[in-house]
Amino acid sequence: MRYIFTFFVLFFLLWSCSSTKKATTTSEENMELNISDEEKQAFNAKGAQDTVRIADEETAYEIIIIDPGFNSWLYSIAQPEGYYSQEFLESRNNIYVINWNQRVLNPQRYNPNLYEMQIDYSPNIDYGYEVNYKLYNYFLYFQRKYNQRLGPFYPRIN
């Protein structure tokens, strides 16, 4: 009888310690996004795919980012376009690209699954605001998600 009582007490303790799981849904009304209707449609269409194509139509430069979560992070957490100056973005991107490429070339020290390909970025070329903006935000997202530091700056959103 004593063993049965102990068993029920242990069972009750384990059962009472489990947390309840509550399903949460996020609707567009609850998210405060500063984006146009066209961008919302593109975001909804690409949300499951999570592939971001960064291109500047004037300069014909393009970056394709395939990283789950970046697209939603870009539209919900990152600062809006126009927040940073192009000079700021170019200077930070230059530092981040140099460190990124050094890590790609050193797979024994850095995870080759994180740093797969080099980025061809030249400070002498004007890539346009959109390319620099999204590349900079990808570096912020990458550093925060994978707990990496690509430069002397702490990757923060402000």
Side-chain angles (χ1 to χ4, degrees), residues 79-124:
Q79 294 293 347
E81 285 190 42
Y83 184 82
Y84 304 107
S85 69
Q86 185 167 344
E87 293 79 24
F88 172 83
L89 296 173
E90 288 172 346
S91 66
R92 291 289 172 100
N93 284 343
N94 192 36
I95 294 168
Y96 290 150
V97 166
I98 289 169
N99 288 317
W100 178 281
N101 288 339
Q102 288 175 346
R103 293 177 184 210
V104 169
L105 296 174
N106 196 352
Q108 295 81 17
R109 184 169 179 200
Y110 299 103
N111 187 348
N113 294 326
L114 292 179
Y115 304 98
E116 294 179 4
M117 297 177 61
Q118 284 190 339
I119 299 173
D120 184 17
Y121 184 89
S122 173
N124 301 325

Side-chain angles (χ1 to χ4, degrees), residues 6 11 16 18-19 26 47 51 56 61 73 79 86 90 95 97 99 108 110 122-123 152 154 156:
T6 305
F11 176 76
S16 65
S18 68
S19 64
T26 317
T51 299
D56 187 4
Y61 292 106
W73 183 89
Q79 294 293 347
Q86 185 167 344
E90 288 172 346
I95 294 168
V97 166
N99 288 317
Q108 295 81 17
Y110 299 103
S122 173
Y154 180 74
R156 61 181 188 211

Side-chain angles (χ1 to χ4, degrees), residues 16-77:
S16 65
C17 290
S18 68
S19 64
T20 59
K21 296 180 181 176
K22 181 177 158 184
T24 59
T25 59
T26 317
S27 65
E28 284 188 30
E29 294 82 34
N30 294 337
M31 296 175 69
E32 296 180 2
L33 302 177
N34 297 324
I35 57 176
S36 68
D37 290 334
E38 293 171 353
E39 290 175 319
K40 283 182 185 177
Q41 290 173 353
F43 172 73
N44 291 334
K46 289 183 177 180
Q49 181 180 351
D50 256 344
T51 299
V52 177
R53 178 183 172 267
I54 305 169
D56 187 4
E57 306 304 328
E58 296 172 5
T59 59
Y61 292 106
E62 176 180 71
I63 301 171
I64 298 175
I65 298 173
I66 304 171
D67 197 339
F70 173 66
N71 202 18
S72 59
W73 183 89
L74 181 65
Y75 289 117
S76 61
I77 296 174

